[in-house]
Amino acid sequence: MYILDKLRILTQTQTNADMQIAQYFLKNIHRLQHLTVNQCIEECYVSRASFHRFYNKAGFTDFKDLVQELNNEYSRKVQSISIPFEYANPYVHSNKIMKFTEDIKKAQRVFFYGSYTNIMMLEKTLLVLQQEYHVEVDILLYWDKKYQEQLVDSLNENDVIVIVDANYNLPILIEKSINQSDMLNLMDIDSLSCIKYYIGIPSNMYYSFHVIEIQDTSNEFLNDIQILSLDYKLYQQLKG
């Protein structure tokens, strides 16, 4: 999960074979399911070893698993449902925003994991944390899964990890994280001593996560827009 996000980040942050393969995947996403490993290697101009390391590093055991997950994500992205725009700006309880902002501005490190699109919609919040509160902020969407796990394991009790996804509730995300080898296991994160938050749509189970809920409109675009609204409220609270 979040394969599209991680591929896009790779193309912006790396200059090696991984970046080359990531660019190829994004450019040829419509035809990957019809290609063989040998065709991809030939068209990428990389070695077989580099290609195998690429998907193994992300937690996939073979090329077909990566392509299947990539196709599933892409299919979901292109779907749309028409919902009235009035659902795009829900009320978020001020006490939850106050508690969240107090926790993140006192932390030494705040790590974000989830939808890159949604996390970047919190851009104002991330910037003010770094620039005015000198908090170390990181987005855990590295292609190298082992490196992600090392960062998570390094979190202390006053650090904060924030799961952000406007289109999957927490129990579904946890189930996916258990069953999909490329994801960080959210049950492992749930057992950590650090402060844990989930920002997303409601459910009846939140484990040990603090929660900031948005309204589930059943429309990906309108759910995403609510994160922008939340960013403005968080920014105001941090600046106030």
Side-chain angles (χ1 to χ4, degrees), residues 81-91 121 215-229:
I81 304 170
S82 178
I83 303 291
F85 193 75
E86 66 209 38
Y87 291 107
N89 189 20
Y91 172 75
M121 287 176 173
Q215 187 172 354
D216 184 8
T217 68
S218 300
N219 178 276
E220 184 168 326
F221 173 73
L222 295 184
N223 284 1
D224 289 347
I225 290 296
Q226 295 178 78
I227 303 294
L228 282 174
S229 174

Side-chain angles (χ1 to χ4, degrees), residues 174-185:
I174 287 178
E175 182 180 358
K176 285 180 175 292
S177 76
I178 294 170
N179 295 325
Q180 295 182 204
S181 60
D182 59 295
M183 289 187 70
L184 289 173
N185 190 317

Side-chain angles (χ1 to χ4, degrees), residues 109 111 136 138-140 142 146-155:
R109 295 178 296 174
F111 290 169
E136 178 186 339
D138 202 353
I139 299 174
L140 302 183
Y142 297 99
K146 288 184 179 179
Y147 180 60
Q148 288 182 305
E149 291 171 337
Q150 289 171 1
L151 288 173
V152 170
D153 290 341
S154 72
L155 288 168

